Amino acid sequence: MASSPSFSMSALHSTCTPRVPNCPKEFVDNHSSLYSKQPLHSKLMPLSTDLKHSRFFTNEKPLQWEQTARLPQRNRVLSCALDIENTPFSVGNKFQLDDVIEAQQFDRETLSAIFEVAREMEKVEKKSPGSQILKGYLMATLFYEPSTRTRLSFESAMKRLGGEVLTTENAREFSSAAKGETLEDTIRTVEGYSDIIVMRHFESGAARRAAVTAEIPIINAGDGPGQHPTQALLDVYTIEREIGRLDRIKVGLVGDLANGRTVRSLAYLLAKYQDVKIYFVSPEVVKMKDDIKDYLTSKGVEWEESADLMEVASKCDVVYQTRIQRERFGERADLYEEARGKYIVDRDVLGVMQKHAVVMHPLPRLDEITVDVDEDQRAAYFRQAKNGLYIRMALLKLLLVGW
Amino acid sequence: MASSPSFSMSALHSTCTPRVPNCPKEFVDNHSSLYSKQPLHSKLMPLSTDLKHSRFFTNEKPLQWEQTARLPQRNRVLSCALDIENTPFSVGNKFQLDDVIEAQQFDRETLSAIFEVAREMEKVEKKSPGSQILKGYLMATLFYEPSTRTRLSFESAMKRLGGEVLTTENAREFSSAAKGETLEDTIRTVEGYSDIIVMRHFESGAARRAAVTAEIPIINAGDGPGQHPTQALLDVYTIEREIGRLDRIKVGLVGDLANGRTVRSLAYLLAKYQDVKIYFVSPEVVKMKDDIKDYLTSKGVEWEESADLMEVASKCDVVYQTRIQRERFGERADLYEEARGKYIVDRDVLGVMQKHAVVMHPLPRLDEITVDVDEDQRAAYFRQAKNGLYIRMALLKLLLVGW
Amino acid sequence: MASSPSFSMSALHSTCTPRVPNCPKEFVDNHSSLYSKQPLHSKLMPLSTDLKHSRFFTNEKPLQWEQTARLPQRNRVLSCALDIENTPFSVGNKFQLDDVIEAQQFDRETLSAIFEVAREMEKVEKKSPGSQILKGYLMATLFYEPSTRTRLSFESAMKRLGGEVLTTENAREFSSAAKGETLEDTIRTVEGYSDIIVMRHFESGAARRAAVTAEIPIINAGDGPGQHPTQALLDVYTIEREIGRLDRIKVGLVGDLANGRTVRSLAYLLAKYQDVKIYFVSPEVVKMKDDIKDYLTSKGVEWEESADLMEVASKCDVVYQTRIQRERFGERADLYEEARGKYIVDRDVLGVMQKHAVVMHPLPRLDEITVDVDEDQRAAYFRQAKNGLYIRMALLKLLLVGW
């Protein structure tokens, strides 16, 4: 939700909230959960692999909150960050990850570290010794709205690492929520039964509310129009895997750029890298909104709107196609049909793309990518879906047993 | 359902049904399942830990059926009991538990023994050796109506002990039941796939019918307005854990006492202890029914109705609050609103409570306990929910591998 | 549906598709998946138990496609078969099973080999060492329509062998299918998360489409009015277990023979055995269709229609009763009631049956078998349901780790 990029992951571990007078009150209120899980004595304790899920970290630098006054008002609430972005980031010297709530919580170094773990996870997959590292751990998937794909991906990740799963596919209809129980009460009950909660909710901000309440880690698997951070991570991971780098890339975002939280999160994360150029290719009615454009500009990211998919495709390393969602058009079926047919990735588009370039898509796909594209090696979307498994394995490992 | 308290757990193991002429026919018919699973030779066999789920027990005393004529007619059907209540109860010399069907099946000694196992389960929780004692066992959760909370609690319990789970979250709609299959046929099929069945049903008595049919253990996870015995057990367990004793306690039951099966079962179980005093605090329209009051009187339990929650709270060891259920009031929304707002546990109530006293609630909670009560140490309801996990772990262990 | 019996399992492994000019184009199109999973070098590789799920086989004979012109047009599409039916079938020298799509894919030797494995599975059930042979494997149950019984049976089978399960009980409503995703895309995503997919679908042919797409094994757990091959296998397995042989048997098929895919598949499979006699006993409106009768005749199987259940029952080794499905009768409730009450298996029928004979039923049962039949040893239907577990354990083992 259009929040500031300078809110780095390190903020998750601050124990100093009361001691930082110039941090806006709203930030503290909204983020208190994100550092509340850290024990007060944590700075005195060395990081040890024996201490599972101990939620502390070492090597914390003195805290310096950013000058939030420089940022526009709407971003202030999330603009507190530790000065730790400049700290060298090395193995054995890492943060404890507490929750995964929004894409913006990750800085470049953390992303890189997570991707390193995800790479290891690609090897774990087939019955290697690592496949039991989460043995004895229980993950609850608390889905207030169904998302079979996301749920299966998380559950597969957990089980691939030897963990166990408690499933609720339709918590909204079935659970005590129907009787009027608050999310907070549900979380406090479910955390008694499990070691980590993966939550999907229909309301923006629900994951944060859960994290405020829970003593155990929360992963946001999508909360309404808000965040879906693991999708954003797997997208960036896929670009790195496919293209080999994240700096100096050209990315074309195609389709519904107004409503898709996927492309918005991706734009935020890409801004963390150097010399990135982004092309927006979308029907008039679903154009990328100004907040993202302003944000990219403020970060020095070049961007450009274009109506010519062929030209963009010929230049880009990544063509990121998305689905035009009918439900956004209400009664205007005519506008939907027009928007939907306008930018299709087909073999003609493939024909102008560079050899090393790839087509990505968050799936499900309707006909915005034609089926005959699938057989081309540059069709990366099913590999992208599979990468979601590795990213989720990495996050589960990091949240439950640390680096 | 207003059945006799003198039906002790030991009745579950009787093999003598045909030999007890003065036991009412209806009792035998209704309870035949409860002892039918015991092999006829069981009395000759020593109790050995090697014999998993062997369904026998030793040290059975000669059977003496109670004089059922002394009890009112409506209780006769459940009034047969073995004389075993007076038998010393010791480790290594315990009954095999066959099924968990109703709160009344447990006598004081059995409750105490189950609680002892539950205490051990509290230690098992974190990856201890005990966490694999149910490895290889399969539990089927056959839920004909949804109850996410209860289902997750059972599934967590099974998995915490290394067991596996087959889940049906909505058996009523999905299963062969929709095609007209009887419960008995479903049970006979599902018992082919699993080692124990946890069943939730919309009809009172369904769990008993399942137990009559099944060769494997059945746990009643609630059958309509009937029984929810594991809730009753966890309530009593929580009182013992929080207060330190079950004799000589004062308990205030608050809220909907007419419809809540929870408070009814709790009253039954409390009657097994010495010097218990119960206060009923409820709106006029949902007062405790006479059957329970009569029963308590017959057992020598002191009880009292009161309209003054503050006064009761100041005297009690336990304030057990319940939710007023809107659906009980039909069209009389005015009565509902009046009843609902009448007895709220808030910080004022906490203010008069003793330091050692606790607030309990079966959850879900709406606003009958205000949220600001949560932070007080005397708010025991989330610990109570967690105790459900330990009780269910204990029962699963006892039913599957014995004491 | 009414496809040729000569399509033997061995066809599943052919790598020669392009080299067989006289195989009808449609066959290749429809079955390409069934042999496409075999690596091209497979013939050079020895069969080793170390190579898990390697999808190859040895001892392949030169391919000779049957003269499909001899078969009626409607069967041509499935009438390609390897000449391998005459090859001696021995342990250590078996095919790799790739998918389970339809009953017709199995020849007699393969059935016999599967049944041998199923027998071993009966011993595995209770915590034996074999109970971990699928440890580390993940099965996804992708059910586009609910079938609790079948799903639980598969999930139990997987877990009895140490494997893990990802469940979707209602994929049709919940999954991306609702947003318009093709089955193929769903399969390509889910295969990224699992090692085998058990699929139930509402459309005939869906399982084959999934098998064409997937790199991992697919098991058809029923696709609309089409196939339900594991039910057919368990039926034949039950007959062998109960009667002791499959040659020289008399089988009475009773009830709805027009719509039940069960009895149709069973008739196909029985035709593979010697001296089988089949009796059809059904109300006029749901008589066995001509395609099956023609097929049996072409295979030299004796069959006979009868209106006299008592006489048939007195002669048969197996009385296979089925449910008359109300939904087949539309508004004609009168016809339904008449059909339904016409042929009931009750104690009178039992009375004329031979001592060694059995009553079977695919379940769920309504009142076409009276409840008092259950207690007779010849009532085999619950044992039959349990046999489904062993057959599915065998298939999962064969598909995932080979013979």
Side-chain angles (χ1 to χ4, degrees), chain A residues 183-192 213-214, chain B residues 374-375 382 385:
Chain A
L183 174 62
E184 282 77 5
D185 276 16
T186 302
I187 291 292
R188 292 195 70 170
T189 302
V190 174
E191 74 174 338
T213 302
Chain B
D374 295 5
E375 63 205 49
F382 293 116

Side-chain angles (χ1 to χ4, degrees), chain C residues 333-353:
Chain C
D334 54 330
L335 286 183
Y336 167 68
E337 289 302 333
E338 186 197 321
R340 182 192 182 191
K342 190 147 177 140
Y343 298 111
I344 303 285
V345 174
D346 55 16
R347 294 197 66 85
D348 288 344
V349 173
L350 269 186
V352 303
M353 283 175 61

Side-chain angles (χ1 to χ4, degrees), chain B residues 27-283:
Chain B
F27 178 82
V28 174
D29 289 350
N30 282 312
H31 292 76
S32 58
S33 78
L34 299 178
Y35 26 70
S36 67
K37 287 172 192 171
Q38 187 191 8
L40 286 172
H41 58 280
S42 66
K43 289 189 222 170
L44 307 174
M45 295 171 66
L47 187 59
S48 150
T49 54
D50 288 331
L51 290 157
K52 301 296 170 71
H53 196 218
S54 58
R55 294 173 169 287
F56 66 84
F57 68 110
T58 55
N59 196 39
E60 193 182 15
K61 286 188 56 179
L63 301 162
Q64 296 177 2
W65 296 101
E66 273 194 16
Q67 278 299 333
T68 57
R70 283 178 301 173
L71 291 166
Q73 182 58 34
R74 70 167 184 275
N75 282 338
R76 284 186 64 181
V77 75
L78 278 168
S79 59
C80 288
L82 299 182
D83 193 17
I84 203 155
E85 287 210 13
N86 302 317
T87 308
F89 198 92
S90 62
V91 177
N93 194 8
K94 290 175 182 172
F95 321 97
Q96 174 62 36
L97 197 57
D98 271 3
D99 299 286
V100 174
I101 303 303
E102 58 186 19
Q104 295 94 305
Q105 79 181 70
F106 300 106
D107 56 26
R108 183 178 171 143
E109 285 74 20
T110 309
L111 288 174
S112 169
I114 291 171
F115 295 166
E116 207 178 299
V117 178
R119 284 274 199 134
E120 289 165 27
M121 293 299 155
E122 296 192 21
K123 298 171 214 150
V124 164
E125 201 198 355
K126 280 291 169 208
K127 293 180 92 173
S128 66
S131 67
Q132 293 299 310
I133 56 175
L134 296 189
K135 188 169 163 64
Y137 286 94
L138 255 175
M139 173 182 98
T141 47
L142 196 61
F143 274 46
Y144 284 82
E145 62 175 18
S147 174
T148 309
R149 178 187 307 274
T150 302
R151 184 175 62 78
L152 289 187
S153 176
F154 271 109
E155 295 185 1
S156 179
M158 191 66 183
K159 293 187 171 185
R160 289 289 188 206
L161 295 175
E164 274 293 341
V165 175
L166 303 174
T167 298
T168 50
E169 189 159 30
N170 204 352
R172 186 183 197 168
E173 184 184 335
F174 286 169
S175 82
S176 310
K179 297 178 188 157
E181 187 179 55
T182 63
L183 174 63
E184 282 77 7
D185 277 17
T186 302
I187 290 292
R188 292 195 67 170
T189 302
V190 174
E191 74 174 338
Y193 305 150
S194 58
D195 301 305
I196 187 168
I197 296 173
V198 175
M199 193 175 92
R200 176 97 167 196
H201 205 277
F202 45 92
E203 277 178 17
S204 190
R208 183 178 304 284
R209 285 170 55 205
V212 170
T213 301
E215 305 271 331
I216 64 173
I218 301 288
I219 299 181
N220 184 1
D223 52 352
Q227 285 278 340
H228 191 6
T230 60
Q231 176 71 44
L233 290 185
L234 77 89
D235 286 345
V236 179
Y237 181 64
T238 299
I239 295 173
E240 194 193 44
R241 292 289 277 127
E242 298 285 338
I243 306 302
R245 65 177 191 279
L246 287 162
D247 296 312
R248 302 178 312 284
I249 57 170
K250 291 188 172 61
V251 178
L253 302 178
V254 188
D256 182 348
L257 306 184
N259 305 297
R261 60 186 170 195
T262 312
V263 285
R264 293 172 55 84
S265 297
L266 183 55
Y268 270 120
L269 288 183
L270 289 175
K272 296 184 186 300
Y273 298 90
Q274 302 298 312
D275 297 321
V276 170
K277 169 123 193 206
I278 300 182
Y279 298 87
F280 300 124
V281 184
S282 66

Side-chain angles (χ1 to χ4, degrees), chain A residues 306-324:
Chain A
S306 168
D308 188 343
L309 175 58
M310 294 299 275
E311 200 213 343
V312 166
S314 70
K315 290 182 196 163
C316 279
D317 301 290
V318 176
V319 174
Y320 194 106
Q321 175 68 295
T322 59
R323 183 167 60 96
I324 308 279

Side-chain angles (χ1 to χ4, degrees), chain B residues 37 140 142 144 176 181-197 199 206-207 209-218, chain C residues 125 149 152-153 156 160 242 347 359 361-365 369-390:
Chain B
K37 287 172 192 171
L142 196 61
Y144 284 82
S176 310
E181 187 179 55
T182 63
L183 174 63
E184 282 77 7
D185 277 17
T186 302
I187 290 292
R188 292 195 67 170
T189 302
V190 174
E191 74 174 338
Y193 305 150
S194 58
D195 301 305
I196 187 168
I197 296 173
M199 193 175 92
R209 285 170 55 205
V212 170
T213 301
E215 305 271 331
I216 64 173
I218 301 288
Chain C
E125 201 198 356
R149 177 187 308 274
L152 289 187
S153 177
S156 178
R160 289 290 188 204
E242 297 285 337
R347 294 197 66 85
V359 179
H361 191 296
L363 303 181
R365 167 250 320 248
I369 301 177
T370 57
V371 172
D372 55 8
V373 171
D374 295 5
E375 64 205 47
D376 193 288
Q377 257 306 101
R378 291 170 292 179
Y381 27 94
F382 293 116
R383 294 193 295 274
Q384 180 185 359
K386 180 101 189 206
N387 285 336
L389 179 66
Y390 304 127

Side-chain angles (χ1 to χ4, degrees), chain C residues 136-384:
Chain C
Y137 285 94
L138 255 176
M139 174 181 98
T141 47
L142 197 59
F143 273 46
Y144 283 83
E145 61 176 18
S147 175
T148 309
R149 177 187 308 274
T150 302
R151 183 174 62 78
L152 289 187
S153 177
F154 271 108
E155 296 185 1
S156 178
M158 190 67 183
K159 293 187 171 184
R160 289 290 188 204
L161 295 175
E164 274 293 341
V165 175
L166 302 174
T167 298
T168 51
E169 188 159 32
N170 204 352
R172 185 183 198 169
E173 184 184 333
F174 286 169
S175 83
S176 311
K179 298 177 186 158
E181 186 179 57
T182 63
L183 174 62
E184 283 77 6
D185 276 17
T186 302
I187 290 292
R188 293 195 67 171
T189 302
V190 174
E191 74 174 338
Y193 305 150
S194 58
D195 300 305
I196 187 167
I197 296 174
V198 175
M199 193 174 91
R200 176 97 168 196
H201 205 277
F202 46 92
E203 278 177 18
S204 191
R208 183 177 303 283
R209 284 171 55 205
V212 169
T213 301
E215 304 271 331
I216 64 173
I218 301 289
I219 299 181
N220 184 0
D223 52 352
Q227 285 277 341
H228 191 4
T230 59
Q231 177 71 45
L233 290 185
L234 77 88
D235 286 343
V236 179
Y237 180 64
T238 299
I239 295 174
E240 194 194 44
R241 291 288 278 127
E242 297 285 337
I243 307 301
R245 64 177 192 278
L246 287 162
D247 297 313
R248 302 179 312 284
I249 56 170
K250 291 186 172 63
V251 178
L253 302 179
V254 188
D256 182 349
L257 306 184
N259 305 298
R261 60 185 170 194
T262 313
V263 285
R264 293 173 55 85
S265 297
L266 183 55
Y268 270 120
L269 288 184
L270 289 176
K272 297 185 186 299
Y273 297 91
Q274 303 297 313
D275 298 321
V276 170
K277 169 122 193 205
I278 300 182
Y279 298 87
F280 300 124
V281 184
S282 67
E284 194 62 32
V285 284
V286 286
K287 287 177 71 170
M288 180 57 84
K289 290 180 182 163
D290 285 342
D291 61 338
I292 298 283
K293 293 179 189 167
D294 292 349
Y295 174 68
L296 291 174
T297 301
S298 79
K299 286 285 164 180
V301 177
E302 244 189 284
W303 59 266
E304 185 179 319
E305 292 189 313
S306 168
D308 187 344
L309 175 58
M310 295 298 275
E311 200 213 341
V312 166
S314 71
K315 289 183 197 162
C316 279
D317 301 291
V318 176
V319 174
Y320 194 106
Q321 175 69 295
T322 60
R323 184 168 59 95
I324 308 278
Q325 296 170 58
R326 177 189 272 275
E327 55 271 32
R328 305 294 182 181
F329 290 83
E331 310 241 318
R332 297 300 306 270
D334 54 330
L335 286 183
Y336 167 68
E337 289 302 333
E338 186 197 321
R340 182 192 182 191
K342 190 147 177 140
Y343 298 111
I344 303 285
V345 174
D346 55 16
R347 294 197 66 85
D348 288 344
V349 173
L350 269 186
V352 303
M353 283 175 61
Q354 298 171 67
K355 278 206 171 154
H356 77 280
V358 293
V359 179
M360 291 173 62
H361 191 296
L363 303 181
R365 167 250 320 248
L366 300 192
D367 50 12
E368 62 274 5
I369 301 177
T370 57
V371 172
D372 55 8
V373 171
D374 295 5
E375 64 205 47
D376 193 288
Q377 257 306 101
R378 291 170 292 179
Y381 27 94
F382 293 116
R383 294 193 295 274
Q384 180 185 359

Side-chain angles (χ1 to χ4, degrees), chain C residues 120-137:
Chain C
E120 289 165 27
M121 292 301 155
E122 297 193 22
K123 299 170 214 149
V124 164
E125 201 198 356
K126 280 292 168 206
K127 294 180 91 171
S128 66
S131 67
Q132 292 300 308
I133 55 175
L134 297 188
K135 188 170 163 64
Y137 285 94

